[in-house]
Amino acid sequence: MGFIDVIKAKAKADKKTIVLPESEDRRTYEAAAQILKEGLADIIIVGSEEAVKKGGEGLDLTGVKVVDPATSDKTAAYIDKLVELRQKKGMTPEQAKDILLNQYLYYGVMMVKMGDADGMVSGACHSTADTLRPCLQILKTKPGTKLVSAFFLMEVPNCEFGENGTFVFADCGLNQNPNPEELAAIAASSAESFKALVGAEPRVAFLSHSSMGSAKHADIDKVVEAVKIAKEQNPDVMMDGELQLDAAIVPSVGASKAPNSPVAGKANVLVFPDLDAGNIGYKLVQRLAKAEAYGPVTQGIAAPVNDLSRGCSAEDIVGVVAITAVQCQMQ
């Protein structure tokens, strides 16, 4: 049974309510139909009855709850709450009403905030910034979290590396050029996410173009410092670096380049030095190795809200909804 099949089984065992606010995108409806068919979650779509009927034409959406902000009896309470949350930023009732009636991502986040949904998935036709902005404004960060970050759960077919071909790649969606403290925080969160979702012990590799001092550069120094911080803060988690990609995941190369490392050659959590490397890395694996890439999954927000790549398929949305539902179970 593959990773996503395990996640789907977990989601089915304790169904959660997930809101999909992108009612303008056909993929939302295709995913919703599949989610309902598989029994993975209860689904709310934000939009008018007319728009949803048109967008879901030809699909069986029996069981979908449609919430129209213009007519919902919950909207007034959402407006009041948004004003309360953002009054220090000058939010007025008129502004809050305009935002909630016209920006469905904000409405979806308010549903999560008010307990009318357990989680939200968005990003098929919105940028990561647009998806995360309302989350950070309304839901805030998870207590004890130093940094909100994003990872991809990669499932590589016919792969003996990682955890039977399953990896967490981070940060591939949010933090542009993390400093050592931020890189260490990303690693800690990613290890926790890997253990929670995959159910195996994380082995975290901090990636670089150098392995254990084989090259010298300020970029390498950043990674070395991040490893030091991460190990001090997470003594019970297997972490090491800096490691080149092959030294991190290929046993023979790891034994050659980092013979004393507990991680080299068997890493399953890959921490990239910056967003460029992470984004390029996950897309190379997705396209060339025909891997399933689920995400970007966010970590560090007070409630489960996950982003999507704008190039995602309906099947990708189904997978991220299942992951989000399992995150909701963990809350």
Side-chain angles (χ1 to χ4, degrees):
M1 184 180 284
F3 159 76
I4 200 61
D5 298 314
V6 173
I7 289 294
K8 286 182 175 181
K10 289 181 180 179
K12 290 178 187 178
D14 179 16
K15 279 206 293 186
K16 298 299 180 181
T17 300
I18 308 299
V19 58
L20 303 177
E22 294 178 309
S23 53
E24 69 271 40
D25 196 293
R26 175 69 175 181
R27 291 169 293 178
T28 294
Y29 301 100
E30 294 170 346
Q34 187 63 31
I35 291 161
L36 292 169
K37 182 179 179 181
E38 295 188 41
L40 303 177
D42 293 323
I43 294 295
I44 298 171
I45 294 179
V46 182
S48 68
E49 292 278 359
E50 182 181 351
V52 173
K53 183 177 180 181
K54 182 179 179 182
E57 189 174 0
L59 298 170
D60 184 2
L61 296 176
T62 305
V64 164
K65 181 178 180 180
V66 178
V67 174
D68 184 351
T71 59
S72 172
D73 59 3
K74 298 287 184 75
T75 299
Y78 291 178
I79 292 170
D80 291 343
K81 187 65 175 180
L82 184 55
V83 171
E84 176 190 328
L85 292 169
R86 302 290 292 167
Q87 60 185 351
K88 290 183 180 178
K89 297 293 184 179
M91 180 72 70
T92 67
E94 292 75 22
Q95 290 172 330
K97 181 178 180 180
D98 181 66
I99 288 170
L100 291 174
L101 292 184
N102 295 291
Q103 298 184 47
Y104 290 172
L105 271 66
Y106 272 87
Y107 200 93
V109 172
M110 284 303 305
M111 296 190 80
V112 176
K113 179 69 175 179
M114 300 293 276
D116 295 318
D118 297 304
M120 185 180 89
V121 173
S122 181
C125 50
H126 288 86
S127 69
T128 295
D130 286 340
T131 296
L132 294 184
R133 189 178 300 111
C135 302
L136 296 175
Q137 290 177 355
I138 295 168
L139 298 174
K140 312 295 185 181
T141 55
K142 187 177 177 181
T145 297
K146 298 176 181 177
L147 182 74
V148 174
S149 58
F151 67 89
F152 273 84
L153 207 306
M154 307 296 295
E155 190 174 21
V156 187
N158 306 313
C159 177
E160 71 271 30
F161 304 129
E163 200 66 35
N164 299 315
T166 300
F167 297 86
V168 157
F169 285 17
D171 182 331
C172 302
L174 191 55
N175 294 285
Q176 180 66 51
N177 190 16
N179 62 35
E181 292 78 11
E182 291 169 337
L183 208 55
I186 289 167
S189 292
S190 299
E192 183 181 346
S193 293
F194 184 90
K195 188 169 186 177
L197 291 172
V198 181
E201 285 301 316
R203 299 181 295 275
V204 184
F206 288 75
L207 299 182
S208 173
H209 68 275
S210 167
S211 289
M212 300 302 185
S214 64
K216 301 296 181 185
H217 192 275
D219 289 347
I220 301 169
D221 294 340
K222 178 184 84 168
V223 178
V224 171
E225 181 63 20
V227 174
K228 180 183 176 182
I229 294 168
K231 285 183 174 181
E232 288 175 353
Q233 295 177 344
N234 306 277
D236 297 329
V237 180
M238 281 189 286
M239 297 177 166
D240 213 356
E242 85 283 13
L243 291 167
Q244 293 165 302
L245 186 279
D246 55 355
I249 67 171
V250 181
S252 60
V253 180
S256 172
K257 293 187 175 183
N260 299 317
S261 171
V263 169
K266 46 183 180 276
N268 49 27
V269 177
L270 304 182
V271 178
F272 291 82
D274 57 41
L275 187 57
D276 286 338
N279 189 270
I280 292 166
Y282 101 77
K283 287 184 176 177
L284 273 172
V285 175
Q286 180 187 32
R287 300 299 180 179
L288 300 187
K290 296 180 170 54
E292 295 293 341
Y294 300 101
V297 180
T298 56
Q299 49 192 6
I301 297 174
V305 175
N306 282 318
D307 190 20
L308 296 160
S309 167
R310 278 173 284 178
C312 71
S313 65
E315 188 60 36
D316 293 334
I317 299 174
V318 173
V320 173
V321 166
I323 290 170
T324 307
V326 173
Q327 287 181 310
C328 293
Q329 294 172 359
M330 292 154 44
Q331 287 292 101

